[in-house]
Amino acid sequence: MPISGFPEWLPSQRIVEQYVLDKIRSTFELYGFASLETRAVEPLETLLSKGETSKEVYLLRRLQEDAGSSREDQLGLHFDLTVPFARFVTENHGKLQFPFRRYQIQKVWRGERPQEGRYREFLQADIDVVNRDTLPFHFDTEMPLVIGDVFRSLPIPQAVILVNNRKVCEGFYRGLGLDDTAQVLRTVDKLDKIGPDKVAALLVETAGATDAQAQACLRLAAISTSDASFVDAVKALGVSDPLLDEGLGELAQVVEAANEHAPGLIRAELKIARGLDYYTGTVYETQLLGYERFGSICSGGRYENLASVGNTRFPGVGISIGVSRLLGLLFGQGALGASRSVPTCVVVALPSEDQRATCDRIAAALRQRGIPTEVAPTAAKFGKQIQFADRRGIPYVWFPGSPDTVKDIRSGEQVEADPATWTPPAADLHPVVTGS
């Protein structure tokens, strides 16, 4: 029986998923990120200290565990890959070369309400760069370039990365005279969910804002530009603060670098805040054109204080692709698929059971040359064996004989062939992943 929020893909969907993961992995490695895998569990105290609510953390315990075990002893499944990565860095900093660039592709678990494209168990693909003591800002500008290259390598709708900087928001709020900037950020982050009127009311109620201050926060959040013109738009609001100026300068660098690399990839969106408490500067969210109503499929940001050992800090910046989220949305709309449901390119027809050894040798010769091949399961009539291939989208059936022949069952063309030399067109060798 299916369990809500725990997706299981069909074989044809798994082909798509593996293709997507290969593209992600190869792009990450082109930029010099090294692979890492961390354990699935972290101490509960660690998970709850990083901005996630206890309602969303899954506990791990033995069935016969003592009821009296303390909270400090409890383990939880990780809800993202950044928190375990920060822990890994602190435990292994003496063995790492800095700046340390890693990518991580793993399952994570989050007890959210399941809905289309949003799951309780899902696959994420992260990149992060951490350094000792200080991390140069140019790494913030690099993150969107990597992600842009990933998405452009896939047959999916255009992705737009929305970017902001928490220094812009916090500096602006300080300049307005609002001291509880964290509460203002959390409230403004709810704009898309509850709308501006309710956000304004909440700012007055929970952050001590006046109506005028609340309206000023909304005017900042409404600024959205695809170039650095947001700087003048913010300054036109008449609020000044050194942290605000610093944030505007950093955000302009990110936008200008992305526009040079891939025009149209990025947009400064000053309502983006990100819910996790550990972000301190640049923050990213990503939408697919035509799928904006489903929210972000890739997000992250800069964190200065997530990892430290004694007086040594390890600041970082990272971004995470919600692979399961992306695939779930596109599968749900029939917008991503594979040309066949199996890797097989050729089925070797079986004239009779006593010829199975001959057929196995033909299949072995084809596989040795990198051609995915299987032998028909039974010596049924050739029409049924062709039907067996056709139902799975397998393009070729091989007929043993003197000489052997191979048939393209799509066109009906049948030619003499030698398993030591015959090669299918490159487009047929592996399933082709296409988008609509």
Side-chain angles (χ1 to χ4, degrees):
M1 185 179 75
I3 302 175
S4 177
F6 294 82
E8 294 178 320
W9 306 134
L10 293 168
S12 59
Q13 295 172 322
R14 278 284 288 168
I15 285 174
V16 175
E17 182 183 50
Q18 293 304 306
Y19 171 87
V20 168
L21 291 177
D22 286 344
K23 291 290 188 183
I24 291 172
R25 192 179 297 110
S26 62
T27 305
F28 287 173
E29 291 183 357
L30 277 175
Y31 277 83
F33 290 89
S35 178
L36 183 68
E37 182 166 321
T38 58
R39 65 198 186 205
V41 297
E42 297 293 335
L44 184 61
E45 287 296 311
T46 301
L47 295 173
L48 296 185
S49 68
K50 305 303 180 184
E52 198 73 0
T53 68
S54 57
K55 292 179 182 178
E56 294 183 348
V57 174
Y58 281 108
L59 284 180
L60 184 76
R61 65 181 181 87
R62 297 189 311 276
L63 188 61
Q64 302 298 329
E65 186 170 312
D66 295 337
S69 61
S70 68
R71 179 161 149 170
E72 288 76 16
D73 298 330
Q74 289 182 306
L75 298 176
L77 294 171
H78 56 219
F79 58 78
D80 75 355
L81 298 178
T82 307
V83 171
F85 173 56
R87 188 266 311 157
F88 180 89
V89 169
T90 61
E91 290 181 1
N92 295 278
H93 64 95
K95 305 170 188 173
L96 303 176
Q97 299 297 316
F98 293 97
F100 179 48
R101 303 161 69 85
R102 84 85 171 84
Y103 76 87
Q104 201 166 337
I105 301 175
Q106 280 182 248
K107 290 282 183 74
V108 301
W109 294 267
R110 197 174 293 180
E112 298 182 309
R113 183 174 63 85
Q115 50 190 293
E116 188 173 8
R118 191 175 290 278
Y119 306 108
R120 291 170 171 169
E121 176 186 70
F122 51 99
L123 190 64
Q124 286 192 181
D126 283 30
I127 48 172
D128 285 81
V129 183
V130 296
N131 202 29
R132 195 187 300 271
D133 297 323
T134 60
L135 181 71
F137 186 77
H138 65 78
F139 290 110
D140 292 49
T141 71
E142 183 185 40
M143 291 289 140
L145 313 189
V146 184
I147 297 303
D149 286 359
V150 167
F151 287 143
R152 279 198 303 279
S153 74
L154 299 172
I156 62 174
Q158 182 183 346
V160 178
I161 300 174
L162 312 177
V163 63
N164 193 9
N165 192 305
R166 282 197 170 181
K167 294 176 185 177
V168 172
C169 301
E170 291 183 29
F172 187 85
Y173 304 151
R174 282 189 201 173
L176 282 175
L178 293 170
D179 295 326
D180 193 351
T181 57
Q183 180 59 44
V184 180
L185 270 173
R186 284 193 292 270
T187 305
V188 171
D189 196 40
K190 298 175 182 177
L191 255 174
D192 288 340
K193 292 180 181 176
I194 65 175
D197 291 344
K198 288 184 178 177
V199 165
L202 271 178
L203 287 172
V204 173
E205 180 185 334
T206 65
T210 64
D211 288 337
Q213 288 170 326
Q215 290 306 313
C217 293
L218 291 177
R219 283 194 292 274
L220 178 74
I223 294 172
S224 171
T225 70
S226 56
D227 55 22
S229 62
F230 67 86
V231 175
D232 291 336
V234 172
K235 289 182 176 178
L237 297 178
V239 175
S240 61
D241 183 87
L243 188 64
L244 172 61
D245 293 339
E246 184 181 330
L248 289 173
E250 290 182 352
L251 187 54
Q253 286 183 57
V254 175
V255 172
E256 287 164 354
N259 279 336
E260 182 177 338
H261 182 77
L265 171 65
I266 208 164
R267 190 167 77 235
E269 192 79 42
L270 270 56
K271 67 181 177 182
I272 301 298
R274 305 293 305 136
L276 293 169
D277 291 344
Y278 53 67
Y279 293 123
T280 55
T282 311
V283 285
Y284 317 95
E285 289 192 355
T286 309
Q287 294 180 343
L288 287 186
L289 295 185
Y291 292 78
E292 294 88 348
R293 68 189 182 281
F294 295 109
S296 179
I297 48 95
C298 174
S299 57
R302 159 75 72 135
Y303 46 91
E304 296 290 340
N305 306 306
L306 191 58
S308 61
V309 177
N311 293 325
T312 304
R313 288 186 311 134
F314 297 95
V317 62
I319 195 164
S320 171
I321 301 171
V323 180
S324 300
R325 181 165 174 71
L326 171 69
L327 292 175
L329 293 175
L330 294 173
F331 288 156
Q333 301 297 312
L336 198 58
S339 58
R340 56 186 187 258
S341 61
V342 293
T344 313
C345 177
V346 180
V347 168
V348 179
L350 183 65
S352 62
E353 277 300 330
D354 59 10
Q355 294 187 57
R356 184 171 289 278
T358 299
C359 294
D360 285 342
R361 282 193 290 273
I362 293 169
L366 290 168
R367 291 180 194 127
Q368 199 167 26
R369 298 175 47 244
I371 301 169
T373 306
E374 61 182 283
V375 178
T378 63
K381 291 180 179 179
F382 279 163
K384 287 194 173 180
Q385 295 189 47
I386 291 171
Q387 193 176 54
F388 169 82
D390 187 45
R391 279 201 303 266
R392 290 156 181 77
I394 301 167
Y396 296 97
V397 175
W398 190 283
F399 296 97
S402 299
D404 289 2
T405 60
V406 66
K407 180 173 186 174
D408 183 336
I409 64 174
R410 300 160 300 183
S411 67
E413 181 184 6
Q414 188 165 341
V415 298
E416 291 184 12
D418 181 341
T421 58
W422 178 83
T423 301
D428 291 336
L429 189 59
H430 301 291
V432 176
V433 173
T434 56
S436 62

